[in-house]
Amino acid sequence: MSLNVTLEQVSVNYGGKRALSDITLELEAGKIYGLLGRNGAGKTTLLSLLASYMEPTAGRVRIGGNNPYEHAETMAQVSFIYETNYSEESDKIKGMLQVAERYRPHFDRAYAEELVQLFGLPMNIPIKKFSSGMQSALNAVIGLANRTPVTIFDEVYRGMDAPTREIFYKQLLEDQADHPRTMILSTHLVSEMDYLFEDVVILHKGRMLLKEPIDRLLDRGASITGASAEVDAFVRGMKILNVQQLGGTKSAIVYGEFDEAQRRAAASKGLDIGPVPLQDLFIHLTGEEGSHDNHSEF
């Protein structure tokens, strides 16, 4: 089960500042979305709206057609998983799973216990004694096993080491295939997690910058590699994001789509056209004016 999420001209003010400004966004049911933005872009504010932690100052939020705020049935269909302070939590894992099972109608206890074993979490010590990595893994267990139609992971990997993150990513993809839901992953580990995303949403300074399929976004960038002089001639006049050189070989990352004629022209000059990582495009699209020599507005 999964639900559509829509925001219509949503703005949020607090503390005399505007955290979100005129956000219109639709997240189709059953997809995995990567939510990206620099610090202060408004990501956590947006997710807090979806989790019913606050109401918008203006505009409408709808999940499955309902306003989630103080709507108990809709709120039970949304999980917002984020870094949690368990320093006062004297309960053990069994108690945490019992609470989740009580309040989440789609919670799968058997799957949760399987995940506990996969992550190697101890069953018999209080959660407050867990390492930060264990606490992050426990959050991942609960978020996956909840199987809510809308599942949000906000930097949930914090504290996990690389092998534990790999377990999380693998389980996320496998369980999404078996139990599709609307999944939102907010992260700064863009280069590590980009293969998980179907669509990408980028916020910048409280505004929507873009929302589109990752394949389409990646088509907007390319790396041009070959003899230095040939690369310089080919990329002249293009939006250049980065340049690296080793001896007589140069690689330039450019922003822009290439048609077939350009690709043939590059091949005729011995140039290779390769993909650009999502992280490089994200840095470019959210760069400040003057932050690099070849910046141009999108």
Side-chain angles (χ1 to χ4, degrees), residues 245-284:
Q245 186 158 355
L246 182 62
T249 300
K250 179 176 285 188
S251 180
I253 294 178
V254 299
Y255 183 74
E257 297 185 45
F258 288 84
D259 59 27
E260 193 56 38
Q262 288 174 302
R263 292 181 180 276
R264 287 197 298 269
S268 71
K269 297 178 184 297
L271 300 176
D272 292 326
I273 298 182
V276 174
L278 176 61
Q279 179 163 297
D280 288 355
L281 292 176
F282 165 66
I283 290 170
H284 168 64

Side-chain angles (χ1 to χ4, degrees), residues 115-257:
L115 290 173
V116 167
Q117 294 299 315
L118 278 172
F119 284 115
L121 298 178
M123 294 290 292
N124 298 316
I125 66 173
I127 293 165
K128 65 182 179 182
K129 294 185 177 180
F130 280 16
S131 68
S132 61
M134 290 177 181
Q135 292 180 4
S136 294
L138 176 59
N139 285 336
V141 167
I142 293 170
L144 289 171
N146 278 345
R147 288 187 176 146
T148 48
V150 177
T151 299
I152 302 165
F153 290 107
D154 186 10
E155 309 280 4
V156 74
Y157 55 79
R158 286 181 180 173
M160 294 183 188
D161 58 20
T164 306
R165 295 198 302 271
E166 284 301 317
I167 294 171
F168 170 55
Y169 303 154
K170 182 175 184 289
Q171 289 301 313
L172 186 150
L173 288 176
E174 290 181 358
D175 204 57
Q176 175 72 355
D178 294 335
H179 303 276
R181 67 209 86 168
T182 307
M183 191 93 70
I184 305 171
L185 308 178
S186 176
T187 181
H188 286 98
L189 291 180
V190 180
S191 61
E192 184 173 295
M193 296 179 66
D194 55 6
Y195 75 99
L196 302 172
F197 309 151
E198 295 175 74
D199 282 22
V200 176
V201 177
I202 298 181
L203 296 182
H204 188 52
K205 295 185 175 180
R207 295 183 178 274
M208 269 285 301
L209 187 61
L210 63 80
K211 177 244 174 183
E212 61 184 74
I214 188 169
D215 290 345
R216 188 180 304 165
L217 177 56
L218 292 177
D219 282 344
R220 296 193 193 181
S223 65
I224 314 299
T225 305
S228 181
E230 295 291 355
V231 170
D232 288 342
F234 188 80
V235 303
R236 189 170 293 120
M238 297 182 182
K239 300 174 184 177
I240 302 172
L241 309 187
N242 190 26
V243 176
Q244 293 182 331
Q245 186 158 355
L246 182 62
T249 300
K250 179 176 285 188
S251 180
I253 294 178
V254 299
Y255 183 74
E257 297 185 45

Side-chain angles (χ1 to χ4, degrees), residues 86 222 235 266 294:
Y86 286 118
V235 303
N294 297 294

Side-chain angles (χ1 to χ4, degrees), residues 58-134:
R60 300 198 325 159
V61 177
R62 294 291 183 268
I63 295 178
N66 297 314
N67 180 356
Y69 192 75
E70 294 185 347
H71 188 275
E73 184 177 342
T74 302
M75 291 170 66
Q77 308 302 315
V78 181
S79 292
F80 183 19
I81 308 299
Y82 54 91
E83 188 174 23
T84 308
N85 181 2
Y86 286 118
S87 61
E88 302 298 323
E89 182 56 68
S90 59
D91 218 340
K92 299 175 183 178
I93 284 181
K94 182 179 179 180
M96 292 288 288
L97 299 186
Q98 287 173 340
V99 170
E101 192 170 25
R102 185 177 308 127
Y103 292 105
R104 297 297 182 184
H106 304 286
F107 186 79
D108 188 323
R109 180 65 176 269
Y111 179 50
E113 291 174 351
E114 177 187 336
L115 290 173
V116 167
Q117 294 299 315
L118 278 172
F119 284 115
L121 298 178
M123 294 290 292
N124 298 316
I125 66 173
I127 293 165
K128 65 182 179 182
K129 294 185 177 180
F130 280 16
S131 68
S132 61
M134 290 177 181

